[in-house]
Amino acid sequence: MNDDYLRFLGISKNYPGVKALDDVSFGIAKNSIKGLMGENGAGKSTLLRILAGAETASSGEVRINGQTHVSHSPKEALDAGIAVIYQELNLVPEMSVAENLLLGHFPTRFCFINHSEIRDRARHQLRSLGENFSPDSKVKNLSIGQCQMVEIAKALMYDAQIIAFDEPTSSLSQKETRKLFQTIRTLKDRGRVILYVSHRMEEIFELCDNLTILRDGRLIRNYDDIKKVTRDLLITDMVGRSIKDIYGYRERSLGKIQFEAHEVSGAGIPKPQSFQLKKGEILGFFGLVGAGRTELVKMLSAASRMKQGTLKMEGKPLVFKNIAQAIRNGVMLCPEDRKHDGIIPVGSVAENINLSARRHWSRFGIFLNQKMERQNANTFIERLRIKTPDAFQLVRNLSGGNQQKVILARWLGENIKVLLMDEPTRGIDVGAKHEIYNLMYELADQGVSIIMVSSDLAEILGVSDRIIVMRDGTLIGELSRDSATQENIMEMALPVSDEGLKDVQYEY
């Protein structure tokens, strides 16, 4: 379209053994919000890095307002009015909000940094976004939602005309998400070009004006009007096949009580809490941000210390003091923050898969068995359909969904009895979600008991056999699959002061 302010023309990007982008072309007009969707590995992140100046396209060009633009660094892109706000925010935690906003561009007076002007300019920019927290606040003391606003304010400090958001709501509460959407709509009305990348279809339908779909590095379709897009059509475009029910829940016969937590407490769980888990059961834990769900599963896996209480496995006392002992007892955790707590980024896919199970075949407990390592890694790469050029690829180069599969592959090499999955599909596309749900059902069929923590209410309702709701570190209530609804779960999860949030829709 001739009125596109930003346009990608024939963008391709080649890496050794991988073509991340293949002749991608589309444009975005001012006063519009363009959605960008695709499976993990579709090329979305690569396209954003090219836009941000962190990568250079192998071929093709980026045009801004009709002029060819090339950024050789993120600073050049920012100076050209392009800002990319990543899921992992690029802020300096120990510095103040004001210092982060003007970092590298501090105003001076008589050769000294003018701190008064820094604060005034930062305060003005924050107020223009409807924020009233102090510009002197340390970034490390802000909420995730406030940090998002600081990133947006920083972009506006550079007078950014193009602002791209990469999975911005992955760690936000519902209140923070609504605030972010309001801000994005305001930026649109001010004439900014907005590119919004998300796996959450409900966000795309609510926020975006039009949509572009990528798959395997190629442009699949441009939708000029989001109102003409259906959920089924979107899924088919993204994954190349129809998935009528992404959850694919299947009933199974549950066994006897396999795991018990009795009167347990610790960090984030101030009062003693108790629950039971049956063999082959998928038990969903739901709660709002700060409910204590992550703290609970960390405590159960020995990732954090349990101050009091007892655990039992198959009726027998279960005692472990560290994560290694928990693994040997069949209790394993897929953590919420897979990049920091789940994978070793500088290690290969094979090294990450074999990290725990290699002790079973190492010679004399010291020497690695390279043949077994390769065989085990390749078996799980094929079984879980992990998208990687080979087992020696660095795991940090894989998409989020494939990194999650690597973590699951690690535990599949062990004797799992209880699998703790904290936000197992966060930041993962619909196709990979479907595959992970099916893997969970397979494990449950084999007698593995699963605790799934999720902020996605539709996921909790779609996958769980039973649901426990948490609030303020306390188990508020329990619901069977048949009796659980969005309304009664939110009734339990919300504090009285947040009653208005019950109207938030969670349909996927």
Side-chain angles (χ1 to χ4, degrees), residues 337-407:
D337 191 343
R338 56 180 169 265
K339 290 190 176 181
H340 290 95
D341 301 330
I343 62 170
I344 299 175
V346 295
S348 69
V349 171
E351 288 170 328
N352 274 269
I353 289 175
N354 292 313
L355 190 61
S356 179
R358 63 175 30 149
R359 71 182 191 281
H360 298 305
W361 55 70
S362 61
R363 299 185 180 98
F364 311 111
I366 301 175
F367 302 105
L368 299 181
N369 186 328
Q370 299 290 352
K371 180 179 178 180
M372 285 298 298
E373 297 250 325
R374 287 194 299 271
Q375 182 178 324
N376 187 60
N378 288 329
T379 295
F380 286 115
I381 288 171
E382 182 177 352
R383 178 180 169 185
L384 300 186
R385 295 196 291 179
I386 298 172
K387 293 182 180 179
T388 177
D390 52 53
F392 306 105
Q393 174 69 263
L394 290 180
V395 73
R396 69 185 179 193
N397 294 333
L398 270 57
S399 66
N402 287 297
Q403 289 176 358
Q404 186 73 305
K405 289 181 183 180
V406 168
I407 297 170

Side-chain angles (χ1 to χ4, degrees), residues 145-356:
Q146 289 173 324
C147 288
Q148 289 274 16
M149 292 302 165
V150 173
E151 283 277 23
I152 295 171
K154 185 167 68 173
L156 297 179
M157 281 285 193
Y158 283 83
D159 194 29
Q161 297 299 307
I162 300 167
I163 306 176
F165 294 86
D166 184 18
E167 298 286 351
T169 65
S170 61
S171 299
L172 299 187
S173 68
Q174 289 298 322
K175 275 186 173 180
E176 290 170 330
T177 296
R178 291 196 299 182
K179 173 67 176 175
L180 176 65
F181 283 8
Q182 179 184 342
T183 301
I184 291 175
R185 291 187 182 103
T186 300
L187 293 173
K188 167 192 167 182
D189 292 341
R190 293 178 182 175
R192 269 31 180 217
V193 173
I194 307 295
L195 179 59
Y196 189 87
V197 179
S198 178
H199 287 115
R200 299 181 177 181
M201 287 187 285
E202 72 277 13
E203 293 184 358
I204 294 293
F205 286 126
E206 178 183 347
L207 186 65
C208 298
D209 301 303
N210 41 64
L211 178 64
T212 292
I213 306 292
L214 300 181
R215 185 172 75 234
D216 297 329
R218 297 182 177 89
L219 176 71
I220 298 301
R221 198 187 303 265
N222 277 312
Y223 291 100
D224 293 331
D225 186 353
I226 195 69
K227 295 177 182 178
K228 296 180 180 179
V229 185
T230 66
R231 176 185 176 278
D232 289 344
L233 184 59
L234 179 52
I235 292 174
T236 301
D237 282 346
M238 284 177 60
V239 304
R241 64 189 188 279
S242 177
I243 301 177
K244 295 297 182 183
D245 178 10
I246 66 168
Y247 304 110
Y249 177 81
R250 55 180 186 250
E251 293 185 4
R252 72 196 78 84
S253 298
L254 304 182
K256 297 180 180 179
I257 300 299
Q258 174 144 290
F259 181 78
E260 297 175 73
H262 180 69
E263 300 288 303
V264 298
S265 66
I269 313 294
K271 297 179 181 179
Q273 306 297 315
S274 302
F275 69 92
Q276 297 177 325
L277 179 63
K278 291 181 179 180
K279 189 171 185 177
E281 181 179 28
I282 299 176
L283 176 59
F285 274 78
F286 181 79
L288 303 180
V289 174
R293 301 159 302 159
T294 293
E295 290 79 1
L296 178 63
V297 292
K298 280 187 173 181
M299 191 169 60
L300 297 177
S301 64
S304 66
R305 189 171 68 88
M306 188 170 69
K307 292 182 180 178
Q308 70 174 67
T310 56
L311 302 177
K312 289 184 179 181
M313 184 75 77
E314 298 171 344
K316 298 178 182 178
L318 187 61
V319 179
F320 41 74
K321 296 182 179 180
N322 54 51
I323 294 174
Q325 291 178 354
I327 293 170
R328 285 171 171 77
N329 280 278
V331 180
M332 296 156 205
L333 171 66
C334 293
E336 176 185 20
D337 191 343
R338 56 180 169 265
K339 290 190 176 181
H340 290 95
D341 301 330
I343 62 170
I344 299 175
V346 295
S348 69
V349 171
E351 288 170 328
N352 274 269
I353 289 175
N354 292 313
L355 190 61
S356 179

Side-chain angles (χ1 to χ4, degrees), residues 78-126:
L78 200 54
D79 288 340
I82 302 169
V84 178
I85 299 174
Y86 295 100
Q87 183 177 346
E88 296 171 356
L89 303 176
N90 294 316
L91 299 173
V92 184
E94 294 297 332
M95 296 181 73
S96 71
V97 170
E99 289 167 335
N100 270 274
L101 291 184
L102 288 143
L103 189 61
H105 293 79
F106 289 152
T108 58
R109 186 180 183 187
F110 305 124
C111 299
F112 293 97
I113 294 174
N114 190 336
H115 292 282
S116 177
E117 184 178 346
I118 291 174
R119 283 193 296 272
D120 289 344
R121 289 172 62 181
R123 186 178 292 108
H124 173 76
Q125 195 64 71
L126 290 171

